[in-house]
Amino acid sequence: MADSSTRSWTRPHDWAEVLLGVVAVLSPLWMDTDNLAMWTLIIGGALVALDGLVSLAAPGFAIGEGIQIVLGALLFLSPWVLGFTEFNGAAWTAWIIGGLTLIVGAVALPVANEAHKMAGSH
């Protein structure tokens, strides 16, 4: 019997990634932003959620966690790089969601690598 790290739709860290992405996508609804900050959160969040869904559907796809780490880092850095730090809500959302996405991806990387090895050893 396969453990939860190799079964589709069962890995909690991938569900966390989807949730983080959805929160980022919806966050401009309840905070002050400009156009750039809004679209950064919407696009960044959508990419994070999409990567989480791909990882849930294909747990042996180990590169998904690497993509998650990169997306988390990009979202975390976006307020400084794109210059929307004056919008506190948008900036803090990007920092928190980006940081958590990066951390969850780093924690999930060994699990995904093991699932990838198990998927290849049929």
Side-chain angles (χ1 to χ4, degrees), residues 4-108:
S4 66
S5 68
T6 59
R7 288 187 314 209
S8 298
W9 306 102
T10 59
R11 298 189 321 181
H13 48 274
D14 292 330
W15 282 110
E17 181 182 9
V18 172
L19 179 65
L20 289 167
V22 169
V23 169
V25 166
L26 297 177
S27 65
L29 293 174
W30 59 77
M31 68 180 66
D32 244 359
T33 68
D34 66 354
N35 222 17
L36 181 63
M38 177 186 72
W39 284 109
T40 300
L41 290 169
I42 290 171
I43 293 169
L47 290 172
V48 167
L50 181 63
D51 182 59
L53 290 171
V54 169
S55 293
L56 280 165
F61 184 61
I63 196 165
E65 270 59 38
I67 293 170
Q68 178 182 350
I69 291 168
V70 170
L71 290 172
L74 290 174
L75 198 55
F76 182 83
L77 294 172
S78 66
W80 293 297
V81 174
L82 299 175
F84 61 88
T85 56
E86 68 274 4
F87 294 98
N88 285 332
W92 276 102
T93 299
W95 291 327
I96 292 168
I97 299 288
L100 288 173
T101 299
L102 194 150
I103 291 167
V104 170
V107 168

